[in-house]
Amino acid sequence: LVTLGGDGTLLRGARMLDGRNVPLLGINLGRLGFLTSVGRDEVAAALDRVFDGDYWIDSRSTLDVRVVGADGSPGEQFCALNDAVLHKGGFARVIRFAVHVGPEHHEVGTYTADGIILATPTGSTAYSLSANGPIVVPTLDCIIATPICPHTLVVRPLVLPMDTEITVTPLTGINEVILTVDGQDGSELRPGDQMLVRRAEKSVHLIRFA
């Protein structure tokens, strides 16, 4: 699959593939090109190299993002190459939410912030970077939890193992909490709903050149 645009276009292409074992070549016609491999002046040479087999595959991990209802019923499900962001809709107010990890739901803490970003290493150079998250080498297996403008002096981004399940629970009394996945998909969480994030079985296979 060849995408013509910026990183947003490549993310849309990855979502269309939905885990299929199809190589993805991103040609950068936009402003941001962290994920794309080729500039607009290199297209002809890049396609020749693809047809000659002169490339390698960079497989990127993705996240399985689920909404679980207050009664435990399954809600919408998404796959994220970059990140899943829980944030406040409507007016610019902070929200409070609790973060737990693992099947035993060990408490990480309660945050008061504009939201939280759960990112893959691929997404470490996207929204998480703007929120002072770390830059992580894409070959590492981890999930980055970056609070957005936390109203505290002690909360910092966390790097967690990729095989950890992370549960984010908006606290009672909060309405208009929005889940956005890769800046393109999303859902609204109702009071009592939770967001669950863990490693997905799907991968995205990016074409790279030496």
Side-chain angles (χ1 to χ4, degrees), residues 130-200:
S130 301
N132 291 321
I135 296 176
V136 176
V137 175
T139 52
L140 291 180
D141 271 344
C142 63
I143 301 174
I144 305 140
T146 306
I148 306 170
C149 298
H151 193 253
T152 177
L153 297 176
V154 296
V155 172
R156 292 292 181 266
L158 296 175
V159 179
L160 301 163
M162 182 63 97
D163 57 3
T164 298
E165 182 176 85
I166 302 171
T167 303
V168 181
T169 307
L171 299 181
T172 55
I174 299 175
N175 296 312
E176 294 186 61
V177 178
I178 307 297
L179 166 63
T180 303
V181 178
D182 282 347
Q184 299 181 352
D185 270 337
S187 177
E188 182 174 343
L189 273 69
R190 299 181 296 273
D193 289 352
Q194 294 180 322
M195 176 179 73
L196 269 62
V197 175
R198 58 190 173 199
R199 179 206 293 270

Side-chain angles (χ1 to χ4, degrees), residues 29 38 71 106 148 199 204:
L29 305 181
V38 178
D71 58 356
H106 295 299
I148 306 170
R199 179 206 293 270
V204 176

Side-chain angles (χ1 to χ4, degrees), residues 11 18 20 40 42 45 49 96 109 117 121 155 157 169 171 180-181:
L11 289 168
D18 193 29
R20 294 178 181 88
R40 66 175 69 226
E42 306 167 310
R49 295 180 68 176
R96 293 184 70 244
I117 305 162
V155 172
T169 307
L171 299 181
T180 303
V181 178

Side-chain angles (χ1 to χ4, degrees), residues 26-186:
I27 296 173
N28 183 24
L29 305 181
R31 291 176 298 164
L32 291 178
F34 282 108
L35 297 177
T36 54
S37 301
V38 178
R40 66 175 69 226
D41 299 328
E42 306 167 310
V43 175
L47 292 177
D48 285 341
R49 295 180 68 176
V50 169
F51 292 130
D52 290 340
D54 182 20
Y55 63 90
W56 56 280
I57 294 295
D58 181 13
S59 293
R60 300 294 182 92
S61 300
T62 62
L63 298 177
D64 176 56
V65 184
R66 300 169 186 253
V67 176
V68 177
D71 58 356
S73 60
E76 293 188 80
Q77 182 177 355
F78 307 94
C79 184
L81 174 58
N82 262 356
D83 50 39
V85 182
L86 200 67
H87 58 98
K88 180 76 169 64
F91 295 102
R93 302 192 198 110
V94 295
I95 60 174
R96 293 184 70 244
F97 51 89
V99 178
H100 296 80
V101 298
E104 298 84 9
H105 287 268
H106 295 299
E107 183 177 359
V108 174
T110 299
Y111 294 72
T112 301
D114 286 351
I116 188 170
I117 305 162
L118 298 178
T120 64
T122 299
S124 71
T125 54
Y127 192 5
S128 177
L129 176 65
S130 301
N132 291 321
I135 296 176
V136 176
V137 175
T139 52
L140 291 180
D141 271 344
C142 63
I143 301 174
I144 305 140
T146 306
I148 306 170
C149 298
H151 193 253
T152 177
L153 297 176
V154 296
V155 172
R156 292 292 181 266
L158 296 175
V159 179
L160 301 163
M162 182 63 97
D163 57 3
T164 298
E165 182 176 85
I166 302 171
T167 303
V168 181
T169 307
L171 299 181
T172 55
I174 299 175
N175 296 312
E176 294 186 61
V177 178
I178 307 297
L179 166 63
T180 303
V181 178
D182 282 347
Q184 299 181 352
D185 270 337

